[in-house]
Amino acid sequence: MLKKVFEPISIGKLEIKNRFVVPPMVVSLCNEDGTITDRFIDYHEAKAKGGFGLIITENYAIAPEGKGFKYMGCMWNDEQMDSNKELTKRVHKHGAKIALQIFHAGRETSSALTGMKIVAPSPIPDPVIGEMPHPLTQEEIQIIVEQFGDAALRAKKAGFDAVELQGAHGYLINQFMSPFSNKRVDKYGGNVMNRARFALEIIENIQEKAGKDYPILYRISADELIENGLTIEDTKVIVKILENAGVAAIDVSVGVYASGFHITAPAAVKHGWEADFAKEFKSILSIPVITSGRINNPFLAEGILLSQKADMIGMARASLADPDLPNKAKEGMFDEIIECIACRQGCSGMLSEDLPVNCVLNPLTGNEKGLFISEAKEKKKVFIIGGGPGGMEAAIVAAKRGHEVHIFEKDKELGGQLLLAAVPPTKSEITSFIVWQKNQLEKLGVHIHLNTKVDEDLLENQKADHIIVATGAIPFIPPLQGVDHPIVLTSNSVLGGWDEAGQNVVVIGGGLVGAETAEHLAKHGKNVTLVELTDTIARDCEAGVKFFLMEALENLNVNIMTNTKVKEIGENKVLVASNGEDQFMENVDTVVMAVGSKPNNSLFEAIKEKYEKVSLIGDAQGVRTILDAVNEGYKTALQI
């Protein structure tokens, strides 16, 4: 069924077994001194073992002042080089090739992180960072050129098959290339050849030190997606210049920090959307072009290749969700593939807090050996109460370890809160994970009991060795006057399709659930007002997801009232206090309560003293995220 993705390809003289690429992603698994850890090596080896043909590491800093993240790889001294030799050895063992991306953050870092003055082509702060950079002198530029060349030579000595220059995302090479950040009037500014001079000198320096046959890849933001930034027409000129200079492949991305939510786009952005930019390059280049951007399954990859939009497919977050994706695709095991849902919680969300990158759908990501599933020494009978994502994950892991597993769900369908989370616009991919979990349960022989409410009598009669309570959460209903009025529904009942909202809707509660419920209703033609007590909505939403959610709410003309308190609900009206004044909202057909949830843990409280082995996981323990639920389910079952 798939052919093109498994064809070999060459980058310069480097032969790669297939078209699957792991593009660079900072994962915060390195030491603060820039040396790498065993976890970092395990993380990359899993992808090589999983069948990816080319792995490109996260961007390694080539100088202390160029570091962009706290726990990232670096390559400015030999000790950092030596720590990478085991990495390349382990990746090569599985037939994969590995390239080292090298970079300098320039103005897209902070002196608080590096302990040094930040630098840039011109004294213009990055709009996101806000710190004034020191404009590099020509002498300082030459020092950095040498540092890039030295880092590339170390990469070669450490066993890396190639280097990639990070010329995208607004980092230093990109800063010189772009009129958005480069306002110089010397030989490094002004026209495109001058702005490209810094990159060309780096390429020449690498060729002198590592050899002309050592492949150099170049990552580029095809469109910076900002005013006065580089556009696709600009970058088509640049990639031809780079090709003529000896660059062996172009790795296509988009954006800079000021447009950063497009770089790792959430589910609101269509699949493979960057491939159209890559096609523009492929039409004018004779070297391989790599594309990426919301490509989360092998069929998408195959289609892009067959359309001749690119030569290789970068599957960054897809490799987090499932590092075995290429091997599974090759064996035709498509229902075994865990597809990325572009939630950004475990990847971008963790990185923003300097925490190790994880994946909502795959607790093994970044913990490849620490959370490895092994067979249980003593086989037990395990009851899991609740068929949401946490309960199903616990059932899968427990069954893989050889336990007899029973999962009980009070409703007619497995999925829990994810069934509702998948309803709002752009969230439908969540269903792919529910389907994957259900397939795993069936293949592992888990006993599934639907429409079964567990009580103490059932537990007493069945005699389980270990009980996991994963009963989730229930809506919190505030003690408002009129809350029991017939026009009042909950977000759960609306999203679940159990109740239908009228034409004029007031959604009370501006958290993520309330905001997405408002978007869902507005998308279906309702007139929606969203009321929030605090000064902002979607406070609990990941930043990139929130960016596109807010854009959607504005486009759908949702009326957002912040700093507004609901005082009373009446027949077809709602009394609120806003800006210190009471006002009635008239002609209201439906009020939707979305003020939060509370743990549904009454069963756990009733049985926790009666049984020796009882665990509480997910929202039943405390209302949080799918990341917490899946991780807790996985880790709890690992201990049984």
Side-chain angles (χ1 to χ4, degrees):
M1 185 177 292
L2 298 175
K3 181 180 179 182
K4 194 70 177 177
V5 284
F6 293 108
E7 290 181 359
I9 189 171
S10 295
I11 294 179
K13 294 185 178 181
L14 178 65
E15 295 184 2
I16 300 163
K17 65 181 180 180
N18 61 39
R19 309 300 179 97
F20 288 108
V21 180
V22 179
M25 294 175 285
V26 178
V27 291
S28 291
L29 290 173
C30 295
N31 296 312
E32 197 167 353
D33 65 359
T35 57
I36 65 173
T37 64
D38 289 340
R39 283 180 68 185
F40 188 81
I41 295 172
D42 294 339
Y43 163 86
H44 286 88
E45 184 181 16
K47 300 178 191 307
K49 188 176 180 181
F52 281 91
L54 175 64
I55 297 169
I56 308 173
T57 69
E58 66 181 44
N59 33 350
Y60 279 45
I62 54 91
E65 71 275 11
K67 191 174 179 181
F69 300 88
K70 189 173 183 179
Y71 300 109
M72 71 182 305
C74 301
M75 197 58 85
W76 64 70
N77 64 45
D78 289 350
E79 181 183 354
Q80 295 161 344
M81 173 190 71
D82 291 340
S83 71
N84 282 273
K85 292 178 179 178
E86 180 65 17
L87 167 63
T88 57
K89 177 183 175 182
R90 296 255 294 271
V91 166
H92 288 150
K93 181 175 69 173
H94 302 286
K97 305 298 183 183
I98 183 166
L100 180 77
Q101 190 187 74
I102 50 179
F103 100 127
H104 190 300
R107 68 178 189 171
E108 285 189 341
T109 186
S110 69
S111 55
L113 173 67
T114 66
M116 304 175 181
K117 182 72 175 177
I118 66 173
V119 300
S122 303
I124 303 170
D126 180 86
V128 174
I129 302 298
E131 183 174 341
M132 179 63 73
H134 160 67
L136 289 163
T137 65
Q138 292 191 21
E139 292 75 16
E140 291 168 333
I141 291 171
Q142 289 308 305
I143 292 172
I144 295 174
V145 168
E146 295 290 337
Q147 289 171 329
F148 268 102
D150 292 343
L153 180 58
R154 291 190 182 99
K156 185 176 182 180
K157 290 180 178 178
F160 287 97
D161 302 292
V163 290
E164 177 173 272
L165 294 178
Q166 172 52 301
H169 304 161
Y171 295 122
L172 186 61
I173 295 175
N174 188 184
Q175 288 164 29
F176 271 92
M177 200 72 79
S178 175
F180 176 65
S181 44
N182 185 349
K183 310 296 181 181
R184 301 174 74 102
V185 292
D186 61 2
K187 67 178 183 178
Y188 292 99
N191 63 63
V192 65
M193 290 303 299
N194 278 0
R195 286 185 279 112
R197 189 183 304 276
F198 180 54
L200 296 177
E201 289 180 349
I202 291 171
I203 293 166
E204 183 179 8
N205 196 275
I206 292 173
Q207 291 171 334
E208 289 174 357
K209 291 175 178 174
K212 287 189 176 293
D213 288 341
Y214 192 56
I216 301 172
L217 291 72
Y218 190 100
R219 192 159 220 211
I220 190 167
S221 290
D223 194 313
E224 292 183 317
L225 304 174
I226 48 170
E227 187 176 358
N228 198 41
L230 294 171
T231 68
I232 184 63
E233 296 304 324
D234 298 316
T235 54
K236 281 196 292 187
V237 174
I238 292 167
V239 294
K240 285 299 296 182
I241 294 171
L242 296 171
E243 181 184 35
N244 291 336
V247 165
I250 296 294
D251 185 1
V252 183
S253 188
V254 296
V256 295
Y257 272 21
S259 55
F261 296 135
H262 293 81
I263 297 172
T264 50
V269 178
K270 66 181 181 179
H271 289 124
W273 72 288
E274 295 176 29
D276 288 336
F277 292 121
K279 183 179 181 181
E280 294 284 312
F281 293 154
K282 184 168 169 54
S283 68
I284 62 172
L285 298 175
S286 58
I287 56 177
V289 174
I290 306 169
T291 191
S292 57
R294 287 277 285 128
I295 305 170
N296 66 348
N297 71 64
F299 299 108
L300 286 169
E302 181 82 358
I304 290 169
L305 293 174
L306 290 175
S307 300
Q308 299 186 4
K309 291 185 175 182
D311 301 290
M312 303 182 76
I313 305 296
M315 304 186 78
R317 287 174 290 171
S319 75
L320 298 180
D322 197 335
D324 296 315
L325 184 151
N327 284 347
K328 290 177 179 178
K330 193 170 187 178
E331 296 298 321
M333 300 165 56
F334 302 114
D335 64 344
E336 290 282 328
I337 296 173
I338 307 172
E339 293 187 5
C340 169
I341 59 174
C343 67
R344 290 177 42 112
Q345 288 184 28
C347 46
S348 299
M350 289 295 188
L351 182 61
S352 68
E353 299 180 26
D354 283 327
L355 295 172
V357 163
N358 200 310
C359 178
V360 161
L361 313 182
N362 184 7
L364 270 172
T365 297
N367 298 288
E368 282 74 15
K369 290 190 176 172
L371 294 181
F372 182 75
I373 297 174
S374 59
E375 186 175 354
K377 293 180 180 179
E378 181 184 352
K379 306 302 189 292
K380 297 180 179 180
K381 187 175 184 179
V382 180
F383 278 11
I384 297 170
I385 306 167
M392 286 197 284
E393 192 71 15
I396 291 166
V397 175
K400 284 182 176 180
R401 301 191 65 225
H403 297 301
E404 177 189 333
V405 183
H406 295 256
I407 187 166
F408 297 88
E409 170 55 46
K410 64 180 177 59
D411 292 325
K412 64 180 180 180
E413 182 70 88
L414 295 172
Q417 295 291 321
L418 282 192
L419 295 171
L420 305 178
V423 173
T426 77
K427 302 295 285 292
S428 62
E429 284 175 88
I430 289 174
T431 58
S432 68
F433 184 58
I434 302 173
V435 170
W436 178 85
Q437 286 190 312
K438 290 173 67 175
N439 285 339
Q440 292 295 301
L441 295 175
E442 182 179 348
K443 290 182 178 182
L444 292 165
V446 172
H447 303 275
I448 300 172
H449 309 272
L450 300 176
N451 297 307
T452 304
K453 186 174 182 179
V454 175
D455 56 23
E456 293 180 66
D457 289 339
L458 185 150
L459 295 174
E460 184 65 29
N461 292 330
Q462 296 288 338
K463 304 295 184 184
D465 298 308
H466 197 117
I467 301 170
I468 298 176
V469 180
T471 45
I474 54 177
F476 171 71
I477 306 299
L480 287 173
Q481 185 173 341
V483 75
D484 55 352
H485 197 282
I487 69 169
V488 179
L489 307 175
T490 67
S491 57
N492 283 20
S493 71
V494 171
L495 294 175
W498 313 319
D499 291 306
E500 184 175 357
Q503 183 61 33
N504 300 314
V505 184
V506 175
V507 177
I508 300 176
L512 174 60
V513 173
E516 289 190 334
T517 301
E519 181 193 13
H520 167 70
L521 291 167
K523 200 81 171 182
H524 287 79
K526 310 296 184 183
N527 302 317
V528 183
T529 296
L530 181 61
V531 179
E532 166 58 30
L533 182 63
T534 67
D535 61 357
T536 186
I537 70 165
R539 189 188 299 272
D540 54 342
C541 184
E542 193 282 325
V545 176
K546 181 176 179 178
F547 175 83
F548 288 94
L549 175 59
M550 296 299 293
E551 186 178 78
L553 292 173
E554 181 179 357
N555 292 337
L556 291 165
N557 296 314
V558 172
N559 178 30
I560 299 173
M561 299 178 65
T562 55
N563 294 310
T564 301
K565 180 180 180 179
V566 178
K567 301 181 72 173
E568 182 181 341
I569 300 170
E571 185 174 353
N572 301 117
K573 61 185 178 181
V574 177
L575 176 63
V576 300
S578 181
N579 298 318
E581 295 183 0
D582 288 355
Q583 65 180 82
F584 275 105
M585 302 171 64
E586 305 282 358
N587 301 316
V588 176
D589 299 312
T590 303
V591 174
V592 178
M593 302 301 301
V595 294
S597 301
K598 60 182 181 180
N600 181 20
N601 57 14
S602 57
L603 179 63
F604 175 78
E605 293 297 328
I607 67 172
K608 65 180 182 180
E609 304 296 337
K610 295 183 180 181
Y611 299 92
E612 182 180 356
K613 299 293 184 180
V614 183
S615 303
L616 183 68
I617 67 170
D619 284 354
Q621 183 184 119
V623 179
R624 289 154 297 154
T625 67
I626 178 181
L627 177 65
D628 299 300
V630 172
N631 270 274
E632 286 173 10
Y634 189 104
K635 292 175 182 177
T636 299
L638 210 58
Q639 301 304 314
I640 298 175

